[in-house]
Amino acid sequence: MGDKLTYMAIEDLDAYAEKYRKALLEALEEKKDERGVSYSEIEDYVGLDRSTLHRYLSGKRDIPWTRLAAICAAIGVSLPEVMREVEKRLG
């Protein structure tokens, strides 16, 4: 993957980042549903209000890495597990 990014034109980086974000959000949603975790449970675990969590998981706001790791923990998956799923989705 690193080589792919090294030779990617700057204008293509935005498109790649958007695909990555979409794959990440889809993976989080899938893992959440697989484990039967509610949004309320994630909010309580991470300490977020509903609107902030919604902005993160709808892609309206970037998720800071520390929050992403906490959201993964709330769902019951590791951050590396989610990132592997993202990479699979991107091919």
PDB file of all heavy atoms in Angstrom, residues 28 35 37 41-42 45-46 65-80 82:
ATOM      1  N   LEU A  28     -16.726  -0.339  10.535  1.00  0.00           N
ATOM      2  CA  LEU A  28     -17.162  -0.106  11.911  1.00  0.00           C
ATOM      3  C   LEU A  28     -18.636  -0.475  12.079  1.00  0.00           C
ATOM      4  O   LEU A  28     -19.015  -1.123  13.059  1.00  0.00           O
ATOM      5  CB  LEU A  28     -16.946   1.358  12.308  1.00  0.00           C
ATOM      6  CG  LEU A  28     -15.509   1.787  12.556  1.00  0.00           C
ATOM      7  CD1 LEU A  28     -15.441   3.306  12.719  1.00  0.00           C
ATOM      8  CD2 LEU A  28     -14.932   1.086  13.768  1.00  0.00           C
ATOM      9  N   ARG A  35     -21.758  -7.664  16.369  1.00  0.00           N
ATOM     10  CA  ARG A  35     -21.628  -7.881  17.809  1.00  0.00           C
ATOM     11  C   ARG A  35     -22.842  -7.402  18.598  1.00  0.00           C
ATOM     12  O   ARG A  35     -22.890  -7.535  19.810  1.00  0.00           O
ATOM     13  CB  ARG A  35     -20.351  -7.221  18.310  1.00  0.00           C
ATOM     14  CG  ARG A  35     -19.129  -8.022  17.870  1.00  0.00           C
ATOM     15  CD  ARG A  35     -17.864  -7.204  17.897  1.00  0.00           C
ATOM     16  NE  ARG A  35     -16.707  -8.013  17.580  1.00  0.00           N
ATOM     17  CZ  ARG A  35     -16.370  -8.421  16.355  1.00  0.00           C
ATOM     18  NH1 ARG A  35     -17.130  -8.120  15.323  1.00  0.00           N
ATOM     19  NH2 ARG A  35     -15.285  -9.141  16.152  1.00  0.00           N
ATOM     20  N   VAL A  37     -23.877  -4.365  19.217  1.00  0.00           N
ATOM     21  CA  VAL A  37     -23.574  -3.215  20.084  1.00  0.00           C
ATOM     22  C   VAL A  37     -24.428  -2.032  19.638  1.00  0.00           C
ATOM     23  O   VAL A  37     -24.521  -1.729  18.446  1.00  0.00           O
ATOM     24  CB  VAL A  37     -22.070  -2.858  20.013  1.00  0.00           C
ATOM     25  CG1 VAL A  37     -21.763  -1.632  20.847  1.00  0.00           C
ATOM     26  CG2 VAL A  37     -21.220  -4.045  20.439  1.00  0.00           C
ATOM     27  N   GLU A  41     -24.472   2.193  23.805  1.00  0.00           N
ATOM     28  CA  GLU A  41     -23.352   1.522  24.476  1.00  0.00           C
ATOM     29  C   GLU A  41     -22.016   2.144  24.083  1.00  0.00           C
ATOM     30  O   GLU A  41     -21.141   2.324  24.933  1.00  0.00           O
ATOM     31  CB  GLU A  41     -23.358   0.021  24.142  1.00  0.00           C
ATOM     32  CG  GLU A  41     -24.515  -0.724  24.773  1.00  0.00           C
ATOM     33  CD  GLU A  41     -24.636  -2.147  24.285  1.00  0.00           C
ATOM     34  OE1 GLU A  41     -24.702  -2.366  23.050  1.00  0.00           O
ATOM     35  OE2 GLU A  41     -24.666  -3.051  25.144  1.00  0.00           O
ATOM     36  N   ILE A  42     -21.882   2.482  22.804  1.00  0.00           N
ATOM     37  CA  ILE A  42     -20.638   3.131  22.356  1.00  0.00           C
ATOM     38  C   ILE A  42     -20.509   4.495  23.013  1.00  0.00           C
ATOM     39  O   ILE A  42     -19.433   4.863  23.507  1.00  0.00           O
ATOM     40  CB  ILE A  42     -20.604   3.258  20.817  1.00  0.00           C
ATOM     41  CG1 ILE A  42     -20.613   1.873  20.168  1.00  0.00           C
ATOM     42  CG2 ILE A  42     -19.383   4.057  20.363  1.00  0.00           C
ATOM     43  CD1 ILE A  42     -20.804   1.887  18.660  1.00  0.00           C
ATOM     44  N   TYR A  45     -19.457   4.066  26.654  1.00  0.00           N
ATOM     45  CA  TYR A  45     -18.091   3.548  26.789  1.00  0.00           C
ATOM     46  C   TYR A  45     -17.057   4.622  26.460  1.00  0.00           C
ATOM     47  O   TYR A  45     -16.078   4.790  27.166  1.00  0.00           O
ATOM     48  CB  TYR A  45     -17.908   2.335  25.877  1.00  0.00           C
ATOM     49  CG  TYR A  45     -16.589   1.622  26.061  1.00  0.00           C
ATOM     50  CD1 TYR A  45     -16.492   0.539  26.922  1.00  0.00           C
ATOM     51  CD2 TYR A  45     -15.450   2.032  25.376  1.00  0.00           C
ATOM     52  CE1 TYR A  45     -15.299  -0.130  27.093  1.00  0.00           C
ATOM     53  CE2 TYR A  45     -14.246   1.378  25.547  1.00  0.00           C
ATOM     54  CZ  TYR A  45     -14.162   0.294  26.408  1.00  0.00           C
ATOM     55  OH  TYR A  45     -12.974  -0.353  26.580  1.00  0.00           O
ATOM     56  N   VAL A  46     -17.310   5.335  25.369  1.00  0.00           N
ATOM     57  CA  VAL A  46     -16.337   6.324  24.878  1.00  0.00           C
ATOM     58  C   VAL A  46     -16.494   7.677  25.566  1.00  0.00           C
ATOM     59  O   VAL A  46     -15.552   8.454  25.644  1.00  0.00           O
ATOM     60  CB  VAL A  46     -16.448   6.462  23.339  1.00  0.00           C
ATOM     61  CG1 VAL A  46     -15.469   7.473  22.796  1.00  0.00           C
ATOM     62  CG2 VAL A  46     -16.230   5.107  22.665  1.00  0.00           C
ATOM     63  N   TRP A  65      -7.723   9.560  16.117  1.00  0.00           N
ATOM     64  CA  TRP A  65      -7.248   8.190  16.347  1.00  0.00           C
ATOM     65  C   TRP A  65      -7.588   7.684  17.733  1.00  0.00           C
ATOM     66  O   TRP A  65      -7.962   6.518  17.895  1.00  0.00           O
ATOM     67  CB  TRP A  65      -5.740   8.101  16.102  1.00  0.00           C
ATOM     68  CG  TRP A  65      -5.412   8.048  14.647  1.00  0.00           C
ATOM     69  CD1 TRP A  65      -4.938   9.064  13.882  1.00  0.00           C
ATOM     70  CD2 TRP A  65      -5.586   6.940  13.770  1.00  0.00           C
ATOM     71  NE1 TRP A  65      -4.803   8.639  12.582  1.00  0.00           N
ATOM     72  CE2 TRP A  65      -5.186   7.337  12.489  1.00  0.00           C
ATOM     73  CE3 TRP A  65      -6.042   5.635  13.950  1.00  0.00           C
ATOM     74  CZ2 TRP A  65      -5.217   6.493  11.383  1.00  0.00           C
ATOM     75  CZ3 TRP A  65      -6.072   4.779  12.849  1.00  0.00           C
ATOM     76  CH2 TRP A  65      -5.665   5.218  11.590  1.00  0.00           C
ATOM     77  N   THR A  66      -7.484   8.528  18.744  1.00  0.00           N
ATOM     78  CA  THR A  66      -7.784   8.063  20.102  1.00  0.00           C
ATOM     79  C   THR A  66      -9.263   7.701  20.235  1.00  0.00           C
ATOM     80  O   THR A  66      -9.607   6.730  20.901  1.00  0.00           O
ATOM     81  CB  THR A  66      -7.413   9.121  21.150  1.00  0.00           C
ATOM     82  OG1 THR A  66      -8.038  10.372  20.815  1.00  0.00           O
ATOM     83  CG2 THR A  66      -5.904   9.319  21.217  1.00  0.00           C
ATOM     84  N   ARG A  67     -10.128   8.476  19.604  1.00  0.00           N
ATOM     85  CA  ARG A  67     -11.570   8.172  19.628  1.00  0.00           C
ATOM     86  C   ARG A  67     -11.862   6.923  18.813  1.00  0.00           C
ATOM     87  O   ARG A  67     -12.693   6.109  19.186  1.00  0.00           O
ATOM     88  CB  ARG A  67     -12.389   9.336  19.077  1.00  0.00           C
ATOM     89  CG  ARG A  67     -12.353  10.555  19.939  1.00  0.00           C
ATOM     90  CD  ARG A  67     -13.111  10.327  21.214  1.00  0.00           C
ATOM     91  NE  ARG A  67     -13.277  11.591  21.890  1.00  0.00           N
ATOM     92  CZ  ARG A  67     -13.665  11.707  23.126  1.00  0.00           C
ATOM     93  NH1 ARG A  67     -13.941  10.635  23.836  1.00  0.00           N
ATOM     94  NH2 ARG A  67     -13.783  12.883  23.678  1.00  0.00           N
ATOM     95  N   LEU A  68     -11.172   6.767  17.673  1.00  0.00           N
ATOM     96  CA  LEU A  68     -11.362   5.586  16.846  1.00  0.00           C
ATOM     97  C   LEU A  68     -10.992   4.326  17.629  1.00  0.00           C
ATOM     98  O   LEU A  68     -11.732   3.341  17.613  1.00  0.00           O
ATOM     99  CB  LEU A  68     -10.530   5.687  15.564  1.00  0.00           C
ATOM    100  CG  LEU A  68     -10.616   4.504  14.611  1.00  0.00           C
ATOM    101  CD1 LEU A  68     -12.051   4.230  14.185  1.00  0.00           C
ATOM    102  CD2 LEU A  68      -9.720   4.753  13.405  1.00  0.00           C
ATOM    103  N   ALA A  69      -9.873   4.367  18.326  1.00  0.00           N
ATOM    104  CA  ALA A  69      -9.456   3.215  19.136  1.00  0.00           C
ATOM    105  C   ALA A  69     -10.484   2.926  20.224  1.00  0.00           C
ATOM    106  O   ALA A  69     -10.807   1.761  20.490  1.00  0.00           O
ATOM    107  CB  ALA A  69      -8.082   3.470  19.741  1.00  0.00           C
ATOM    108  N   ALA A  70     -11.034   3.960  20.843  1.00  0.00           N
ATOM    109  CA  ALA A  70     -12.043   3.774  21.888  1.00  0.00           C
ATOM    110  C   ALA A  70     -13.350   3.236  21.309  1.00  0.00           C
ATOM    111  O   ALA A  70     -13.996   2.378  21.920  1.00  0.00           O
ATOM    112  CB  ALA A  70     -12.294   5.096  22.623  1.00  0.00           C
ATOM    113  N   ILE A  71     -13.734   3.700  20.135  1.00  0.00           N
ATOM    114  CA  ILE A  71     -14.944   3.194  19.485  1.00  0.00           C
ATOM    115  C   ILE A  71     -14.760   1.713  19.151  1.00  0.00           C
ATOM    116  O   ILE A  71     -15.667   0.902  19.372  1.00  0.00           O
ATOM    117  CB  ILE A  71     -15.284   4.027  18.228  1.00  0.00           C
ATOM    118  CG1 ILE A  71     -15.765   5.427  18.647  1.00  0.00           C
ATOM    119  CG2 ILE A  71     -16.334   3.331  17.364  1.00  0.00           C
ATOM    120  CD1 ILE A  71     -15.854   6.431  17.514  1.00  0.00           C
ATOM    121  N   CYS A  72     -13.592   1.361  18.646  1.00  0.00           N
ATOM    122  CA  CYS A  72     -13.312  -0.051  18.358  1.00  0.00           C
ATOM    123  C   CYS A  72     -13.419  -0.887  19.630  1.00  0.00           C
ATOM    124  O   CYS A  72     -14.025  -1.962  19.631  1.00  0.00           O
ATOM    125  CB  CYS A  72     -11.915  -0.205  17.753  1.00  0.00           C
ATOM    126  SG  CYS A  72     -11.786   0.395  16.058  1.00  0.00           S
ATOM    127  N   ALA A  73     -12.832  -0.397  20.719  1.00  0.00           N
ATOM    128  CA  ALA A  73     -12.893  -1.122  21.995  1.00  0.00           C
ATOM    129  C   ALA A  73     -14.339  -1.282  22.456  1.00  0.00           C
ATOM    130  O   ALA A  73     -14.731  -2.347  22.945  1.00  0.00           O
ATOM    131  CB  ALA A  73     -12.067  -0.399  23.050  1.00  0.00           C
ATOM    132  N   ALA A  74     -15.141  -0.246  22.278  1.00  0.00           N
ATOM    133  CA  ALA A  74     -16.553  -0.313  22.673  1.00  0.00           C
ATOM    134  C   ALA A  74     -17.298  -1.374  21.865  1.00  0.00           C
ATOM    135  O   ALA A  74     -18.183  -2.048  22.382  1.00  0.00           O
ATOM    136  CB  ALA A  74     -17.219   1.055  22.487  1.00  0.00           C
ATOM    137  N   ILE A  75     -16.907  -1.515  20.608  1.00  0.00           N
ATOM    138  CA  ILE A  75     -17.535  -2.507  19.740  1.00  0.00           C
ATOM    139  C   ILE A  75     -17.030  -3.916  20.061  1.00  0.00           C
ATOM    140  O   ILE A  75     -17.721  -4.897  19.815  1.00  0.00           O
ATOM    141  CB  ILE A  75     -17.292  -2.144  18.254  1.00  0.00           C
ATOM    142  CG1 ILE A  75     -18.038  -0.841  17.909  1.00  0.00           C
ATOM    143  CG2 ILE A  75     -17.713  -3.268  17.322  1.00  0.00           C
ATOM    144  CD1 ILE A  75     -17.690  -0.273  16.551  1.00  0.00           C
ATOM    145  N   GLY A  76     -15.822  -3.981  20.609  1.00  0.00           N
ATOM    146  CA  GLY A  76     -15.241  -5.283  20.940  1.00  0.00           C
ATOM    147  C   GLY A  76     -14.295  -5.809  19.887  1.00  0.00           C
ATOM    148  O   GLY A  76     -14.114  -7.017  19.749  1.00  0.00           O
ATOM    149  N   VAL A  77     -13.698  -4.895  19.124  1.00  0.00           N
ATOM    150  CA  VAL A  77     -12.706  -5.265  18.121  1.00  0.00           C
ATOM    151  C   VAL A  77     -11.471  -4.406  18.324  1.00  0.00           C
ATOM    152  O   VAL A  77     -11.535  -3.340  18.928  1.00  0.00           O
ATOM    153  CB  VAL A  77     -13.224  -5.078  16.677  1.00  0.00           C
ATOM    154  CG1 VAL A  77     -14.397  -5.984  16.399  1.00  0.00           C
ATOM    155  CG2 VAL A  77     -13.594  -3.640  16.389  1.00  0.00           C
ATOM    156  N   SER A  78     -10.357  -4.881  17.805  1.00  0.00           N
ATOM    157  CA  SER A  78      -9.138  -4.088  17.896  1.00  0.00           C
ATOM    158  C   SER A  78      -9.047  -3.152  16.695  1.00  0.00           C
ATOM    159  O   SER A  78      -9.625  -3.426  15.627  1.00  0.00           O
ATOM    160  CB  SER A  78      -7.907  -4.995  17.932  1.00  0.00           C
ATOM    161  OG  SER A  78      -7.737  -5.645  16.688  1.00  0.00           O
ATOM    162  N   LEU A  79      -8.331  -2.074  16.870  1.00  0.00           N
ATOM    163  CA  LEU A  79      -8.114  -1.139  15.767  1.00  0.00           C
ATOM    164  C   LEU A  79      -7.409  -1.841  14.602  1.00  0.00           C
ATOM    165  O   LEU A  79      -7.835  -1.675  13.451  1.00  0.00           O
ATOM    166  CB  LEU A  79      -7.337   0.082  16.260  1.00  0.00           C
ATOM    167  CG  LEU A  79      -7.050   1.178  15.247  1.00  0.00           C
ATOM    168  CD1 LEU A  79      -8.313   1.654  14.556  1.00  0.00           C
ATOM    169  CD2 LEU A  79      -6.338   2.340  15.926  1.00  0.00           C
ATOM    170  N   PRO A  80      -6.360  -2.652  14.856  1.00  0.00           N
ATOM    171  CA  PRO A  80      -5.737  -3.359  13.727  1.00  0.00           C
ATOM    172  C   PRO A  80      -6.712  -4.274  12.978  1.00  0.00           C
ATOM    173  O   PRO A  80      -6.641  -4.379  11.750  1.00  0.00           O
ATOM    174  CB  PRO A  80      -4.608  -4.166  14.389  1.00  0.00           C
ATOM    175  CG  PRO A  80      -4.264  -3.393  15.604  1.00  0.00           C
ATOM    176  CD  PRO A  80      -5.581  -2.831  16.090  1.00  0.00           C
ATOM    177  N   VAL A  82      -9.920  -3.791  12.538  1.00  0.00           N
ATOM    178  CA  VAL A  82     -10.740  -2.925  11.692  1.00  0.00           C
ATOM    179  C   VAL A  82      -9.936  -2.432  10.496  1.00  0.00           C
ATOM    180  O   VAL A  82     -10.427  -2.423   9.365  1.00  0.00           O
ATOM    181  CB  VAL A  82     -11.316  -1.742  12.499  1.00  0.00           C
ATOM    182  CG1 VAL A  82     -11.993  -0.722  11.587  1.00  0.00           C
ATOM    183  CG2 VAL A  82     -12.289  -2.246  13.544  1.00  0.00           C
TER     184      VAL A  82
END
